[in-house]
């Protein structure tokens, strides 16, 4: 048996319309999973669906995860179609790089709503017996910014640190329900979020960041492969961990 296979598992992925979430969707389908994909942009989400391995059973939910009171209902509907869920990747995230003097309380609120709260709220739903398989694995995408300081990232870093520590507590609480919980902390990965950040900070600062990655900037599939490991039986003794996937960035 291939311990890394996700054959016939049902995996729910947020942020599936772009970047790392899109790559997680593609790689999970390649590993045999069937998928429930969530994002706001329907056109981009359909583009992800068109990239999946033929035969992948896929359901989509078009929703703002920070503002969807009926999210449980929407998920319940998809579970009734595909079956109970045995994996969750929270990839949805937003980033802002701004000097501290430009940070406002609203910026912290907005970032925490997507990066932290909605992920943990979905985990709450997926930990209910009626939606979960006997065993399950939750993966939260954090960032090296959660553990390494970076200029202009107070709100973003705080949210990513919260993801790591919250996931660790969930791991303790949910182990008796057969659910493993881990986070993954990437450094810079080629995605739209990165391009936007580089536009904001300018060429010199971007060049400095690039220099700090001994293995260069990552590709979305580098993160997706780590997620597949954490969802699969190959990681059945791993919970409460934060897997750093950063091309050597935090080894400095
Ligand atoms: N790229 C990097 O260098 C890097 C490094 C470290 C960590 N990360 C983390 O990795 C995750 C994915 O990043 P990425 O680079 O793939 O970003 P991205 O390409 O900008 O994708 C972000 C995803 O989040 C979804 N999203 C944002 N707000 C949402 C909301 N309110 N409701 C539903 N979906 C929402 C977007 O979908 P819609 O717009 O369609 O809703 C999109 O699919 C994030 O948590 C990010 O912080 C990225």
């Amino acid at each position: 048996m291939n311990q890394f296979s996700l054959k016939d598992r049902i995996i729910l992925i947020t942020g599936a319309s772009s970047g790392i979430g899109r790559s997680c969707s593609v790689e999970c389908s390649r590993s045999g999973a069937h998928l429930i994909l969530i994002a706001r942009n329907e056109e981009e989400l359909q583009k992800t669906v068109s990239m999946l391995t033929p035969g992948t059973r896929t359901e989509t939910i078009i929703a703002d995860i920070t503002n969807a009171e009926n999210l449980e209902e929407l998920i319940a509907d998809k579970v009734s179609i595909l079956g109970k869920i045995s994996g969750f990747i929270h990839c949805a995230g937003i980033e802002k790089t701004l000097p501290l003097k430009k940070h406002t309380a609203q910026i912290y609120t907005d970032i925490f709503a997507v990066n932290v709260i909605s992920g943990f709220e979905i985990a709450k739903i997926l930990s209910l017996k009626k939606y979960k398989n006997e065993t399950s694995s939750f993966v939260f995408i954090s960032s090296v910014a959660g553990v390494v300081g970076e200029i202009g990232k107070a709100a973003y870093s705080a949210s990513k640190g919260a993801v790591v520590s919250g996931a660790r507590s969930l791991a303790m609480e949910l182990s008796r329900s057969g659910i493993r919980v881990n986070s993954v902390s990437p450094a810079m990965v080629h995605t739209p979020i990165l391009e936007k950040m580089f536009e904001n900070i300018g060429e010199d600062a971007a060049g400095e960041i690039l220099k700090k990655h001994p293995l260069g900037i990552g590709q979305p599939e580098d993160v997706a492969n780590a997620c597949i490991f954490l969802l699969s039986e190959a990681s059945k003794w791993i919970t409460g961990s934060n897997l750093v996937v950063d091309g050597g960035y935090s080894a400095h």
Side-chain angles (χ1 to χ4, degrees), residues 14-21 38-42 44 63-66 90-95 114-115 141-144 156 160 185-194 196:
T14 63
S17 62
S18 178
I20 293 170
I38 308 184
R40 293 165 302 181
N41 186 325
E42 187 165 9
E44 290 299 321
D64 181 337
I65 52 174
T66 65
H90 181 51
C91 287
I94 55 174
E95 194 270 346
V114 183
N115 296 6
I141 304 299
S142 176
S143 164
V144 286
Y156 180 72
K160 292 304 188 178
S185 289
M188 301 300 166
V189 178
H190 273 297
T191 67
I193 223 176
L194 181 73
K196 216 183 301 158

Side-chain angles (χ1 to χ4, degrees), residues 29-172:
S29 88
R30 202 173 275 168
S31 295
H34 304 295
L35 304 173
I36 301 172
L37 305 180
I38 308 184
R40 293 165 302 181
N41 186 325
E42 187 165 9
E43 202 179 319
E44 290 299 321
L45 197 55
Q46 282 310 324
K47 211 183 275 176
T48 301
V49 173
S50 74
M51 296 163 76
L52 302 178
T53 299
T56 304
R57 297 171 64 213
T58 310
E59 292 292 321
T60 57
I61 296 175
I62 309 300
D64 181 337
I65 52 174
T66 65
N67 193 19
E69 278 168 17
N70 59 343
L71 204 51
E72 179 171 349
E73 236 171 80
L74 295 169
I75 291 171
D77 180 48
K78 302 308 181 190
V79 168
S80 72
I81 298 168
L82 286 184
K84 289 186 174 181
I85 293 170
S86 58
F88 167 42
I89 315 178
H90 181 51
C91 287
I94 55 174
E95 194 270 346
K96 275 223 159 26
T97 306
L98 283 172
L100 185 61
K101 62 184 173 208
K102 297 220 166 131
H103 273 62
T104 59
Q106 192 59 46
I107 286 175
Y108 292 90
T109 304
D110 292 346
I111 291 181
F112 269 72
V114 183
N115 296 6
V116 186
I117 299 168
S118 52
F120 292 156
E121 283 291 301
I122 293 172
K124 181 171 80 184
I125 297 169
L126 300 185
S127 65
L128 299 175
K129 242 185 175 165
K130 53 187 168 180
Y131 306 126
K132 72 170 271 292
N133 230 325
E134 212 168 295
T135 61
S136 190
S137 170
F138 297 168
V139 180
F140 291 88
I141 304 299
S142 176
S143 164
V144 286
V147 283
V148 177
E150 286 174 14
I151 291 168
K153 292 256 174 70
Y156 180 72
S157 296
S159 78
K160 292 304 188 178
V163 167
V164 172
S165 49
R168 214 169 262 148
S169 283
L170 285 191
M172 296 300 98

